[in-house]
Amino acid sequence: MPQPIAIIGGNIAGLSAAYHLARKGCPVIIYERKIWDKPCGGAISIEYAYYLAKKLGIDIPELDQYIPHIHFYFKDHRSIETDGLFVTISRYNLQQQLISRLQNDPNIDIIFKHMTRKDHNLFSAQTILSTGFSGLTRQIIGKEWHNREYALALKYSGFFRKNSQNPSHLMAFDSRLKGYGWVFFGSNSQFNIGIGGLIEKKIIYEKFEEFTKQINDRFNYGIRLESSPAVWKIPITLNNWNTPVSYYKNGIEFIGTGDVLGLAHPVIAAGIEPAWQSGWLLGESYDPATHTIKTARYRHLLKKNLQLTSRKPFDIVLSHILRLNWIPFKDQQAYFLMKLFHKKIIHQIKKYPWFAMIHDGEKETGFKIDA
Ligand SMILES: Cc1cc2nc3c(=O)[nH]c(=O)nc-3n(C[C@H](O)[C@H](O)[C@H](O)COP(=O)(O)OP(=O)(O)OC[C@H]3O[C@@H](n4cnc5c(N)ncnc54)[C@H](O)[C@@H]3O)c2cc1C
């Protein structure tokens, strides 16, 4: 039996890497700090939710409570309603269920441990780094990390008391954030509310308060926060084709996945599916004959697949434009663009979904969103 490959970080990207490597006969050991509710909107495409449910046997209660509408709301009180295209899952439940599912695999060991650089005796010659936006990632990636941009996001989860007949997920564009606010509904009257964008930490709390107030005033959602929202960063690399996918430190090759590579969508910062997809591609790059991950192949596959899905050239161009201060991309323009193009956008998403839809090399899971 070959030496297991160490995977540090057992969440979306790390668990996907473990699952796909184990399927190729590669033994792995995952080191994860804990099961936790990572601050995250938890929005995943319905297609991916079906994949998790059907292929991995994950119970996604939200699939039965799929919310059929998204309300896009603009500052001057104009709004556009479109079909719903995602469900929101609990990150705690997803991580917990994926871990229990993988624990039965003879090729996978899971150890709950907070890893530090001092744990080098536990690293394998090639070690998978799936630690997201964490101190350890920063220490290992070093200088490369500092070139990263990140979006700052605040999120609060709670229970929805008001009995709404027909809730819509709500997304509010705000040019001052260079990002958006959201209210997403999950199962059992849960909701989460947040804002995120290319914004400074010192004003994000103020903007969050403003957003919550607007949502209550305008839509009468009756949202009351009982504790402080959680703040987190989402690394977003606009041009990750020139950045390496592996990093050498003290003779160990650390191979990045998910947020470590800044794979979240460059415009909407959705990172769950690209993280899962990178784990799959890592498995595809494993060579059983030499018991190694071929990093050149991994890099090639990432580029090819992410260009098809979350990182289409159009998204990169759009995210560059959004970052240019001299382009007056205000709420009004956003409204008119959305008004003109939302039918086309929705049609495109249904036909060629935004996210990492090509799971495990299969284009579809059999589920179709009704046209
Ligand atoms: C507020 C917010 C809202 C978001 N909303 C969405 C959304 O609606 N939809 C979407 O698709 N994406 C969303 N994202 C992005 C998404 O959360 C990330 O892209 C995704 O979680 C990346 O997965 P990952 O596995 O790479 O990293 P993570 O999910 O961050 O997992 C890293 C894991 O590594 C573990 N770890 C870290 N350091 C150590 C250590 N030293 N030792 C052991 N374990 C360690 C952590 O405990 C963690 O479980 C959001 C992000 C934020 C911040």
Side-chain angles (χ1 to χ4, degrees), residues 154-158 181-184 191-195 208 211-213 215-216 221 223 225 229:
L154 270 190
K155 181 205 153 186
Y156 173 85
S157 309
W182 72 85
V183 185
F184 292 161
F191 75 92
N192 77 64
I193 179 169
I195 59 167
F208 180 76
F211 175 59
T212 315
K213 185 173 177 321
I215 295 304
N216 280 334
Y221 275 7
I223 285 170
L225 309 192

Side-chain angles (χ1 to χ4, degrees), residues 9 11-13 31-33 36 38-43 91 95 113-115 130-132 134 136 153 155 182 184 232 234 258-259 269-272 275:
N11 217 311
I12 310 289
Y31 297 96
E32 167 57 40
R33 226 159 20 116
W36 62 305
K38 177 181 165 139
C40 174
R91 286 293 301 264
Q95 189 190 11
K113 176 171 168 48
H114 186 178
M115 298 284 276
S130 319
T131 35
S134 81
L136 188 62
K155 181 205 153 186
W182 72 85
F184 292 161
W232 204 257
I234 318 174
D259 270 7
I272 296 174

Side-chain angles (χ1 to χ4, degrees), residues 8-51:
I8 314 176
N11 217 311
I12 310 289
L15 296 172
S16 168
Y19 171 69
H20 291 101
L21 284 168
R23 284 205 328 176
K24 298 256 161 175
C26 172
V28 297
I29 301 186
I30 306 170
Y31 297 96
E32 167 57 40
R33 226 159 20 116
K34 58 176 184 188
I35 297 179
W36 62 305
D37 198 18
K38 177 181 165 139
C40 174
I44 58 172
S45 65
I46 301 166
E47 178 88 8
Y48 178 54
Y50 266 83
Y51 161 86

Side-chain angles (χ1 to χ4, degrees), residues 145 148 235-238 240 257-265 311:
W145 185 263
R148 298 271 157 87
I236 296 175
T237 316
L238 283 189
N240 47 7
T257 52
D259 270 7
V260 166
L261 295 182
L263 294 185
H265 191 286
R311 207 163 286 261

Side-chain angles (χ1 to χ4, degrees), residues 100-233:
S100 340
R101 162 80 169 70
L102 299 192
Q103 263 164 343
N104 298 324
D105 190 313
N107 278 327
I108 301 179
D109 267 338
I110 302 183
I111 292 170
F112 286 98
K113 176 171 168 48
H114 186 178
M115 298 284 276
T116 69
R117 273 190 304 177
K118 292 189 184 134
D119 292 310
H120 42 78
N121 56 324
L122 300 176
F123 298 154
S124 45
Q126 284 187 312
T127 291
I128 315 290
L129 195 64
S130 319
T131 35
F133 203 105
S134 81
L136 188 62
T137 312
R138 229 177 251 245
Q139 287 165 8
I140 289 173
I141 295 186
K143 269 209 309 233
E144 294 288 344
W145 185 263
H146 300 293
N147 301 329
R148 298 271 157 87
E149 271 202 74
Y150 57 81
L152 204 58
L154 270 190
K155 181 205 153 186
Y156 173 85
S157 309
F159 290 93
F160 188 57
R161 289 204 200 86
K162 219 176 146 203
N163 222 351
S164 171
Q165 286 301 306
N166 186 16
S168 299
H169 293 306
L170 191 137
M171 295 179 86
F173 174 76
D174 187 329
S175 60
R176 291 159 309 165
L177 282 177
K178 293 212 166 190
Y180 60 89
W182 72 85
V183 185
F184 292 161
F185 295 96
S187 56
N188 302 329
S189 313
Q190 286 178 56
F191 75 92
N192 77 64
I193 179 169
I195 59 167
L198 303 167
I199 183 178
E200 285 173 50
K201 195 169 180 182
K202 58 177 192 274
I203 51 171
I204 195 169
Y205 284 92
E206 202 182 291
K207 293 274 170 245
F208 180 76
E209 221 168 88
E210 208 179 280
F211 175 59
T212 315
K213 185 173 177 321
Q214 268 184 31
I215 295 304
N216 280 334
D217 292 351
R218 167 104 171 101
F219 295 100
N220 198 20
Y221 275 7
I223 285 170
R224 262 198 21 235
L225 309 192
E226 273 147 26
S227 57
S228 302
V231 65
W232 204 257
K233 289 174 179 171

Side-chain angles (χ1 to χ4, degrees), residues 60 78-79 96 114 158 207 229 233 252 334 344 350 368:
I60 311 259
R78 284 187 276 204
S79 65
Q96 185 181 46
H114 186 178
K207 293 274 170 245
K233 289 174 179 171
I252 306 279
K344 268 205 170 106
K350 283 179 171 170
K368 284 254 179 306

